Amino acid sequence: MMKLFNTLTRQKEEFVPITPGEVKMYVCGPTVYNYFHIGNARTFTVFDAMRRYLEYRGFNVTYVQNFTDVDDKIIKKANEEGVTSKDISERYIEEYFKDADAIGIKRATMYPKVTENINEIIDFIKKLIDKGYAYEALGDVYYNTNKFNEYGKLSKQSIEELEAGARIDVNEAKKSPTDFVLWKKQKPGEPGWDSPWSKGRPGWHIECSVMATKYLGETIDIHAGGQDLTFPHHENEIAQSEAFTGKPLSRYWTHAAFLNINNEKMSKSKNNFFNVRDILAEFDSEVVRFFLLSAHYRSPINFGRELMQQAKNALDRLYNSKENLEHLLKNKDKEAMKHGEEEVLQSLLSHKDKFITAMDDDLNTADAIAAIFELVKDINTNIDVEASKELIEKSLELFKELTAVLGLVNKKQENLDDKIEMLIEKRQKARKERDFALADKIRDDLKAQGIVLEDTPQGVKWKRI
Ligand code: AMP
Ligand code: ZN
């Protein structure tokens, strides 16, 4: 049984989708005016892991992630560069895929965009006006938050508290400080579409209500995003959609905690961000992914070089273990499990149980990774040249099965064994030529990589330590 923490109830709840075996999941995607930073990457990666785990558990997941391609920041950037908003958003959607693919984020089932849904957005707003939940003011349209009795239910704030904390900007014609814009009248230099109220563009929140309903249905299973989206974005989505349909927008609301830098949220506005693109120049993409999954998604995580280095070392250990198994298999003939190996296998499988228990418990990737390391330790202690081919194969399969759920240890390594053999040959040659300094250096370098050489009457043998 899988449990998810539902922001709506502030409780871990058993996950039961509306249609057995099917999961409809909507994740709020990026505003495409720049490369995405490692904070954004955390949110995208943890929900990718949630999706992969649901698939591993046998669900068929329809995963929708939007691109916000109409936005003030896009317009600003377009005007600065003297190009259109479309030029900017198309460019950064392309760049998004480069980085997202690199860090192993599976492609969504669909990537709807605002610009492709303008008619649907207009129709949705019209219906909200007809139902009395929205009003026009000087060409803009606002949502009337006082009309929606449950406003504040996701962020657990009363409308009075929210009103006290909000204010009306001088150029806004809204009635209450908590009302929010659904349609904005065009200003000079901005893109605009014809509508019954003005030539203009949609506000931010409406796009997700429209797209979630259009692509997934009136009630979806999981709605996800970073923690900052709880209020106002998701609160407003609920107000819009539930006023529109009279049904819950989503059964489960899941939010990822922030990735921080010096204990402060990483964000573009604070200018304390690192783009994934730049980090990838320094660290392998799987190290980035490993780092992002090494904490539970509802705990804040601090970004720093030291932690990245630790992630790299940990990931190296996983790769070493896999290579070790592959190396052991190479020289084995077909051989069934031997007497006494059943217990070893049972012990290895107990780590899979722990992995599943951890992931079932609100996607605890931190504990799941710990279970993988226990598996590796068990493999390193119990599987050696004496093991049967069948047991080695089963160990490798298990290792690959669990790491694949997290999208880790996926890379085809250049064949390390061949590289080691080459270095050993080079060392033999150096010794023949009495270049002992070079021969010793090669031995030391290999040792630093965990490879020890043994000179035997049959030639040089090597093993991993
Ligand atoms: P944006 O492009 O700013 O709309 O953000 C895209 C996604 O990244 C949203 O789900 C945000 O909640 C999330 N996000 C932004 N900053 C952070 C951060 N520092 N840590 C985790 N998630 C973040
Ligand atoms: Zn959204």
Side-chain angles (χ1 to χ4, degrees):
M1 181 185 76
M2 186 177 175
K3 283 190 166 183
L4 284 181
F5 183 87
N6 191 348
T7 309
L8 196 58
T9 58
R10 299 286 196 270
Q11 269 172 3
K12 278 188 204 169
E13 292 173 12
E14 185 181 346
F15 176 70
V16 186
I18 301 162
T19 310
E22 297 283 331
V23 178
K24 305 215 177 301
M25 187 164 175
Y26 185 98
V27 182
C28 292
T31 308
V32 275
Y33 69 104
N34 208 330
Y35 298 107
F36 64 91
H37 62 64
I38 182 103
N40 305 130
R42 179 188 201 189
T43 293
F44 304 147
T45 305
V46 298
F47 293 116
D48 172 71
M50 188 178 280
R51 176 220 191 144
R52 284 172 185 259
Y53 185 63
L54 288 164
E55 287 174 346
Y56 175 69
R57 295 292 255 140
F59 293 104
N60 180 26
V61 183
T62 311
Y63 192 92
V64 175
Q65 184 184 291
N66 65 307
F67 282 121
T68 299
D69 64 346
V70 176
D71 176 86
D72 288 346
K73 289 169 287 221
I74 299 174
I75 296 167
K76 187 166 169 269
K77 182 122 178 171
N79 291 339
E80 277 165 13
E81 290 193 17
V83 297
T84 64
S85 289
K86 196 170 158 60
D87 292 329
I88 296 292
S89 59
E90 279 181 357
R91 183 197 305 163
Y92 287 107
I93 287 172
E94 220 180 292
E95 300 297 346
Y96 166 87
F97 282 121
K98 287 185 196 159
D99 293 335
D101 288 348
I103 58 172
I105 295 171
K106 272 180 81 169
R107 292 274 175 131
T109 318
M110 276 166 272
Y111 290 99
K113 297 181 198 125
V114 183
T115 51
E116 291 167 354
N117 286 281
I118 298 288
N119 289 337
E120 287 83 348
I121 290 174
I122 290 173
D123 287 346
F124 201 113
I125 298 174
K126 268 191 206 158
K127 187 154 172 204
L128 286 176
I129 296 177
D130 289 349
K131 288 189 145 203
Y133 285 99
Y135 56 93
E136 188 202 336
L138 307 170
D140 293 337
V141 181
Y142 292 98
Y143 186 94
N144 188 344
T145 47
N146 282 295
K147 267 277 187 178
F148 185 68
N149 290 335
E150 293 176 296
Y151 195 71
K153 72 174 173 180
L154 184 69
S155 53
K156 305 275 176 265
Q157 291 162 286
S158 68
I159 189 108
E160 291 78 21
E161 282 168 329
L162 288 167
E163 275 177 349
R167 58 189 180 86
I168 302 179
D169 207 72
V170 278
N171 47 28
E172 289 176 313
K174 60 190 184 185
K175 294 179 188 163
S176 159
T178 47
D179 291 356
F180 56 91
V181 75
L182 299 170
W183 188 262
K184 289 186 203 181
K185 192 176 157 185
Q186 186 181 38
K187 294 196 193 89
E190 291 185 354
W193 290 265
D194 289 328
S195 83
W197 317 289
S198 63
K199 189 163 184 179
R201 61 187 166 109
W204 172 32
H205 315 296
I206 193 71
E207 68 184 68
C208 291
S209 280
V210 170
M211 295 182 204
T213 311
K214 177 173 164 189
Y215 297 102
L216 294 172
E218 290 185 337
T219 301
I220 66 173
D221 295 302
I222 302 174
H223 197 121
Q227 185 187 300
D228 53 337
L229 299 191
T230 311
F231 187 85
H233 187 53
H234 289 163
E235 193 75 61
N236 292 351
E237 281 188 39
I238 288 177
Q240 294 162 159
S241 293
E242 299 190 4
F244 185 97
T245 65
K247 295 178 189 150
L249 169 55
S250 180
R251 305 261 299 252
Y252 304 85
W253 287 87
T254 53
H255 292 99
F258 293 141
L259 178 138
N260 293 329
I261 189 147
N262 300 324
N263 297 312
E264 218 188 345
K265 181 195 171 196
M266 179 179 286
S267 72
K268 294 210 173 106
S269 57
K270 289 199 198 103
N271 206 26
N272 62 353
F273 65 93
F274 288 95
N275 286 332
V276 168
R277 182 65 52 93
D278 297 330
I279 294 168
L280 287 177
E282 203 178 324
F283 290 97
D284 183 83
S285 54
E286 266 198 14
V287 172
V288 176
R289 188 173 174 94
F290 184 98
F291 166 74
L292 293 173
L293 294 178
S294 61
H296 183 243
Y297 77 94
R298 285 192 298 112
S299 310
I301 185 171
N302 250 312
F303 177 72
R305 294 236 136 52
E306 207 173 298
L307 289 171
M308 288 294 285
Q309 192 55 47
Q310 279 173 22
K312 181 184 180 313
N313 296 345
L315 190 63
D316 281 349
R317 273 167 58 207
L318 295 185
Y319 270 102
N320 272 337
S321 179
K322 181 177 165 217
E323 278 153 22
N324 210 5
L325 290 173
E326 283 166 348
H327 180 69
L328 285 173
L329 267 186
K330 232 165 107 179
N331 307 316
K332 282 268 169 189
D333 293 328
K334 197 168 160 38
E335 186 190 0
M337 295 244 296
K338 294 192 282 205
H339 182 70
E341 288 190 334
E342 190 51 46
E343 287 90 86
V344 177
L345 185 61
Q346 285 315 315
S347 168
L348 298 185
L349 288 169
S350 72
H351 306 299
K352 172 173 165 175
D353 292 342
K354 282 195 196 148
F355 176 91
I356 290 177
T357 304
M359 292 295 276
D360 270 353
D361 183 14
D362 191 29
L363 207 82
N364 193 333
T365 53
D367 285 0
I369 288 176
I372 293 179
F373 276 99
E374 281 170 34
L375 169 70
V376 162
K377 200 168 143 205
D378 210 347
I379 288 174
N380 291 348
T381 329
N382 291 303
I383 312 273
D384 57 19
V385 277
E386 303 297 323
S388 68
K389 183 166 191 176
E390 192 184 351
L391 181 62
I392 303 171
E393 274 170 351
K394 287 203 153 103
S395 313
L396 186 57
E397 266 166 41
L398 180 58
F399 174 88
K400 285 185 180 168
E401 178 183 325
L402 303 190
T403 48
V405 176
L406 300 177
L408 294 170
V409 202
N410 258 336
K411 297 215 162 161
K412 293 249 177 310
Q413 290 292 93
E414 45 179 326
N415 196 329
L416 269 187
D417 288 2
D418 292 349
K419 238 170 79 185
I420 293 163
E421 302 286 354
M422 235 175 60
L423 281 169
I424 292 174
E425 256 175 52
K426 204 168 150 194
R427 175 170 167 268
Q428 291 301 84
K429 193 165 163 266
R431 282 171 59 161
K432 253 195 216 139
E433 290 165 4
R434 308 193 67 77
D435 184 352
F436 295 114
L438 178 61
D440 287 350
K441 187 178 178 306
I442 293 172
R443 176 190 279 264
D444 292 347
D445 287 351
L446 284 168
K447 194 164 176 209
Q449 292 176 44
I451 312 288
V452 287
L453 305 182
E454 247 177 285
D455 294 308
T456 75
Q458 291 82 32
V460 183
K461 290 237 162 85
W462 62 272
K463 63 173 189 208
R464 288 193 167 87
I465 44 165

Short mmCIF file of all heavy atoms in Angstrom, two decimals, residues 35 125 156 211 215 220 226 230 257 262 302 364 375 387 453:
data_model
loop_
_atom_site.label_atom_id
_atom_site.label_comp_id
_atom_site.label_asym_id
_atom_site.label_seq_id
_atom_site.Cartn_x
_atom_site.Cartn_y
_atom_site.Cartn_z
N TYR A 35 17.10 29.35 -18.73
CA TYR A 35 17.42 27.97 -18.37
C TYR A 35 16.80 27.70 -17.00
O TYR A 35 16.58 28.63 -16.23
CB TYR A 35 18.93 27.79 -18.25
CG TYR A 35 19.66 28.05 -19.54
CD1 TYR A 35 20.42 29.21 -19.71
CD2 TYR A 35 19.59 27.14 -20.59
CE1 TYR A 35 21.09 29.44 -20.89
CE2 TYR A 35 20.26 27.38 -21.77
CZ TYR A 35 21.00 28.53 -21.92
OH TYR A 35 21.65 28.76 -23.09
N ILE A 125 -13.31 31.15 -18.60
CA ILE A 125 -13.55 32.42 -17.90
C ILE A 125 -15.01 32.87 -18.09
O ILE A 125 -15.67 33.31 -17.14
CB ILE A 125 -12.56 33.51 -18.37
CG1 ILE A 125 -11.12 33.11 -18.05
CG2 ILE A 125 -12.89 34.87 -17.74
CD1 ILE A 125 -10.04 34.05 -18.61
N LYS A 156 -4.65 26.54 4.13
CA LYS A 156 -5.13 26.58 5.52
C LYS A 156 -5.09 28.00 6.09
O LYS A 156 -4.55 28.26 7.16
CB LYS A 156 -4.29 25.65 6.42
CG LYS A 156 -4.23 24.22 5.94
CD LYS A 156 -5.43 23.41 6.41
CE LYS A 156 -5.43 22.01 5.87
NZ LYS A 156 -6.24 21.84 4.63
N MET A 211 -6.03 23.42 -18.49
CA MET A 211 -5.28 22.31 -19.09
C MET A 211 -5.46 21.00 -18.32
O MET A 211 -5.54 19.94 -18.92
CB MET A 211 -3.80 22.66 -19.16
CG MET A 211 -3.53 23.82 -20.10
SD MET A 211 -1.76 24.10 -20.15
CE MET A 211 -1.68 25.77 -20.64
N TYR A 215 -6.98 17.99 -20.48
CA TYR A 215 -6.15 16.83 -20.83
C TYR A 215 -6.31 15.64 -19.88
O TYR A 215 -5.97 14.52 -20.24
CB TYR A 215 -4.67 17.25 -20.91
CG TYR A 215 -4.44 18.26 -22.01
CD1 TYR A 215 -4.30 19.62 -21.73
CD2 TYR A 215 -4.40 17.87 -23.35
CE1 TYR A 215 -4.12 20.56 -22.73
CE2 TYR A 215 -4.23 18.80 -24.37
CZ TYR A 215 -4.09 20.14 -24.05
OH TYR A 215 -3.93 21.06 -25.06
N ILE A 220 -8.58 14.99 -11.08
CA ILE A 220 -7.38 14.22 -11.39
C ILE A 220 -6.89 13.54 -10.11
O ILE A 220 -7.41 13.79 -9.02
CB ILE A 220 -6.28 15.11 -12.02
CG1 ILE A 220 -5.78 16.15 -11.02
CG2 ILE A 220 -6.80 15.79 -13.27
CD1 ILE A 220 -4.59 16.94 -11.53
N GLY A 226 6.19 22.72 -6.77
CA GLY A 226 7.02 23.15 -5.65
C GLY A 226 6.15 23.76 -4.56
O GLY A 226 5.02 24.18 -4.81
N THR A 230 1.70 26.27 -3.46
CA THR A 230 0.52 26.01 -2.64
C THR A 230 -0.37 27.25 -2.59
O THR A 230 -1.57 27.17 -2.84
CB THR A 230 0.94 25.63 -1.19
OG1 THR A 230 1.94 24.63 -1.27
CG2 THR A 230 -0.24 25.13 -0.39
N ALA A 257 9.52 20.33 -1.15
CA ALA A 257 10.16 21.39 -0.36
C ALA A 257 11.25 22.06 -1.21
O ALA A 257 11.67 21.54 -2.24
CB ALA A 257 10.76 20.80 0.91
N ASN A 262 22.54 28.27 1.27
CA ASN A 262 22.75 28.91 2.56
C ASN A 262 21.42 29.08 3.31
O ASN A 262 21.11 30.15 3.84
CB ASN A 262 23.42 30.29 2.41
CG ASN A 262 24.76 30.16 1.74
OD1 ASN A 262 25.48 29.18 1.97
ND2 ASN A 262 25.10 31.10 0.88
N ASN A 302 19.94 21.47 0.97
CA ASN A 302 20.86 22.57 0.71
C ASN A 302 21.77 22.20 -0.45
O ASN A 302 22.30 21.11 -0.49
CB ASN A 302 21.73 22.83 1.94
CG ASN A 302 21.37 24.14 2.59
OD1 ASN A 302 21.25 25.17 1.92
ND2 ASN A 302 21.19 24.12 3.90
N ASN A 364 9.81 7.95 0.06
CA ASN A 364 11.02 8.27 0.82
C ASN A 364 12.26 7.79 0.08
O ASN A 364 12.80 6.71 0.31
CB ASN A 364 10.95 7.66 2.22
CG ASN A 364 12.01 8.23 3.13
OD1 ASN A 364 13.06 8.67 2.65
ND2 ASN A 364 11.75 8.23 4.41
N LEU A 375 21.94 -3.25 0.01
CA LEU A 375 22.01 -4.33 -0.98
C LEU A 375 23.44 -4.47 -1.51
O LEU A 375 23.99 -5.57 -1.60
CB LEU A 375 21.03 -4.03 -2.13
CG LEU A 375 21.17 -4.92 -3.38
CD1 LEU A 375 20.69 -6.34 -3.07
CD2 LEU A 375 20.38 -4.36 -4.56
N ALA A 387 30.68 -17.63 -6.43
CA ALA A 387 29.22 -17.66 -6.58
C ALA A 387 28.82 -18.26 -7.93
O ALA A 387 29.57 -18.18 -8.91
CB ALA A 387 28.68 -16.24 -6.47
N LEU A 453 46.60 -5.06 -7.98
CA LEU A 453 47.23 -6.00 -8.91
C LEU A 453 47.97 -7.07 -8.11
O LEU A 453 48.51 -6.80 -7.04
CB LEU A 453 48.23 -5.27 -9.80
CG LEU A 453 47.68 -4.08 -10.57
CD1 LEU A 453 48.76 -3.47 -11.46
CD2 LEU A 453 46.48 -4.49 -11.41
#
